Amino acid sequence: MDKFWALFKARNMEFYRDKAALSWAFIFPLLIIVGCALAFSNPDQTVLRLGIVGTADNYQDLSLAQQPYVESTEYQSKPRALEQIQHHQIDLLVEREFDGLRYWVNPESSAGLAARQLLLSLDSNKQLAEEQLTGQAVRYVDWVMPGVLAMNMMFAALFGIGYVIVRYRQNGVLKRFQATPVSALQFIVAQMASRLMIVVVVNSLIFIGCDYFLNLLMLGSYSLLLLIVLAGSLSLLALGLVIASRTASEELAGGLLNTLTWPMMFFSEIWFSLENAPGWMQGFANLMPLTHVVKAARAVMIEGAGLAAIAHHLAALLITTALCLLLAARLFRWQRE
């Protein structure tokens, strides 16, 4: 038994050495779970989705907006709201006019027709003007697939570069590199470049296969989508390098990488939208590079957004890449301490 514990301790010595990282790997998921429990404690009773142009204060007399089963969303951009109606993403759009209300409905949407009937019955005392818009419905698979592809890219980037460098450090490969004129920054940039090719090629093949079998909605530019993949892959690879820069144990690296991926899978709008989530949750989600990858790819694919519309997402990804790359170079160590 003594020999067993001696071998066990020797095998896991590196795992327990960095106690700060180890503690964070346990504490951070608990904080996320508590935050999620508080944020999603109330059940969602939404039946109809109502869009309003402007602020909700201008629609206090609209009976439809006051119903408990109607979710109201403010839109400062009217063209953006009209696109939502065309793609069945909201059921009814209302705009305040000088002499009454104007509303838009998609006649191909059953929920939209139900929302129109409720509006006509609850607010029949107001002067209402109707307009109809038609367009291709955004299926759930069209909405969720950009997030699923981004999630696959995240796993390939983080674990692909994280485990490899840790294994190099364990096997003494990095110690031999230290004897060469190569700097830490040059080494990690070369690692990023090699992994970038693999991540982009693999995810491109997956996208082509999904598009062939599912006939995904693609309203934007393929070249712009490729630019998002490149920027997103770089930011995620740089984030993985921060974890791998000092870690000498694959067990600890796996725990830290899982600690990063779990909140990103939950808060980056892969499976559901955070449009009506608490402000603190949306702010927290915007700190994650995967959030910007998902939002930018979704905007290009299902909204036909151009470069100007997603420029802030690309800027956030490039800033994340630069900061993480500099931090990884600063923290990088060639051998186990």
Side-chain angles (χ1 to χ4, degrees), residues 165-183:
I165 293 182
V166 171
R167 191 175 298 117
Y168 283 169
R169 187 174 292 113
Q170 282 185 326
N171 296 337
V173 175
L174 294 185
K175 186 177 180 180
R176 291 193 289 270
F177 271 115
Q178 190 178 15
T180 68
V182 176
S183 66

Side-chain angles (χ1 to χ4, degrees), residues 1 4 24 28 102 106 111 133 179 200 255-256 278 284 289 297 299 306 319 330:
M1 185 61 68
F4 169 79
W24 185 245
F28 187 67
R102 182 173 298 275
N106 191 327
L133 286 175
V200 171
L256 293 174
F284 178 69
I319 291 172
R330 175 68 176 149

Side-chain angles (χ1 to χ4, degrees), residues 78-267:
K78 184 176 175 181
R80 163 71 173 151
L82 293 176
E83 289 179 359
Q84 298 278 298
I85 281 287
Q86 285 182 301
H87 297 312
H88 301 218
Q89 293 178 299
I90 57 176
D91 303 317
L92 198 73
L93 177 66
V94 179
E95 181 182 25
R96 173 76 68 182
E97 294 186 339
F98 178 75
D99 56 347
L101 293 172
R102 182 173 298 275
Y103 67 91
W104 287 262
V105 64
N106 191 327
E108 299 174 354
S109 168
S110 57
L113 297 177
R116 179 179 65 179
Q117 290 301 113
L118 280 173
L119 177 68
L120 295 176
S121 62
L122 294 174
D123 295 283
S124 57
N125 59 326
K126 299 178 178 62
Q127 185 172 351
L128 302 173
E130 176 181 317
E131 290 194 27
Q132 296 186 356
L133 286 175
T134 59
Q136 182 178 355
V138 176
R139 303 167 298 172
Y140 180 68
V141 68
D142 295 320
W143 188 89
V144 78
M145 191 53 65
V148 173
L149 294 173
M151 181 180 65
N152 181 74
M153 183 173 67
M154 173 189 68
F155 281 117
L158 290 179
F159 288 91
I161 202 167
Y163 275 129
V164 170
I165 293 182
V166 171
R167 191 175 298 117
Y168 283 169
R169 187 174 292 113
Q170 282 185 326
N171 296 337
V173 175
L174 294 185
K175 186 177 180 180
R176 291 193 289 270
F177 271 115
Q178 190 178 15
T180 68
V182 176
S183 66
L185 183 60
Q186 291 172 331
F187 174 77
I188 61 178
V189 169
Q191 289 293 314
M192 283 184 63
S194 64
R195 299 290 179 268
L196 179 64
M197 294 177 59
I198 298 173
V199 172
V200 171
V201 170
V202 169
N203 280 274
S204 298
L205 294 175
I206 293 174
F207 174 81
I208 292 171
C210 291
D211 188 34
Y212 178 78
F213 288 105
L214 300 175
N215 190 25
L216 297 175
L217 180 65
M218 182 62 184
L219 301 179
S221 168
Y222 285 99
S223 59
L224 192 55
L225 187 62
L226 178 60
L227 180 62
I228 295 168
V229 173
L230 290 171
S233 299
L234 285 173
S235 65
L236 292 167
L237 286 167
L239 187 59
L241 280 170
V242 174
I243 299 298
S245 60
R246 297 184 67 86
T247 309
S249 166
E250 290 188 27
E251 291 86 352
L252 180 57
L256 293 174
L257 290 171
N258 278 303
T259 301
L260 280 178
T261 57
W262 192 84
M264 282 199 284
M265 283 195 301
F266 195 84
F267 290 102

Side-chain angles (χ1 to χ4, degrees), residues 33-45 266 278 280-281:
I33 292 172
V34 172
C36 294
L38 294 175
F40 296 102
S41 56
N42 296 323
D44 185 12
Q45 299 179 344
F266 195 84
W280 66 266
M281 183 179 292

